[in-house]
Amino acid sequence: EQPPDLGGGGAEPVTEANKRRFLADALRRALVDDVRPQLAAFLRGFDDVLDRTLLHVFDYQELQLLLCGLPDVDVDDWKRHAKYLGAFSDRGEA
């Protein structure tokens, strides 16, 4: 069996001395290198929603709310705060 590649182009056996580097390289490949095209596409779409330079003002919960919205839709709240204009009215079906 071929020893794992530590990213240097050749197969180097994983030892106690290099296991941290092996894990770091394996994680980088799996989480960054192998998904680079998908990550680039995601970031292009993300940039349509929010300027990345503004990310520092949000914590992870606020960012999740911004991207995903509320988990439950309160239709009664919508009805209380909606303003109907033109041919629509607050009575009847739309």
Side-chain angles (χ1 to χ4, degrees):
E1 182 177 315
Q2 181 85 5
D5 182 2
L6 289 176
E12 178 184 336
V14 177
T15 64
E16 191 65 33
N18 67 15
K19 72 180 180 183
R20 287 186 182 273
R21 183 169 54 104
F22 170 77
L23 288 173
D25 289 347
L27 284 171
R28 180 189 38 75
R29 279 194 304 275
L31 298 176
V32 178
D33 297 344
D34 292 350
V35 295
R36 191 172 304 279
Q38 295 91 336
L39 182 58
F42 170 81
L43 290 174
R44 281 192 305 274
F46 185 88
D47 289 339
D48 287 343
V49 176
L50 180 70
D51 182 347
R52 273 188 267 170
T53 62
L54 300 176
L55 275 181
H56 70 279
V57 301
F58 299 104
D59 65 22
Y60 75 95
Q61 292 165 323
E62 292 168 327
L63 186 58
Q64 180 180 6
L65 181 60
L66 178 68
L67 293 176
C68 302
L70 294 172
D72 298 311
V73 175
D74 185 346
V75 176
D76 291 329
D77 183 59
W78 280 2
K79 288 178 180 177
R80 282 193 306 275
H81 295 95
K83 292 185 180 182
Y84 294 89
L85 302 173
F88 297 101
S89 70
D90 59 356
R91 301 172 197 247
E93 295 183 28

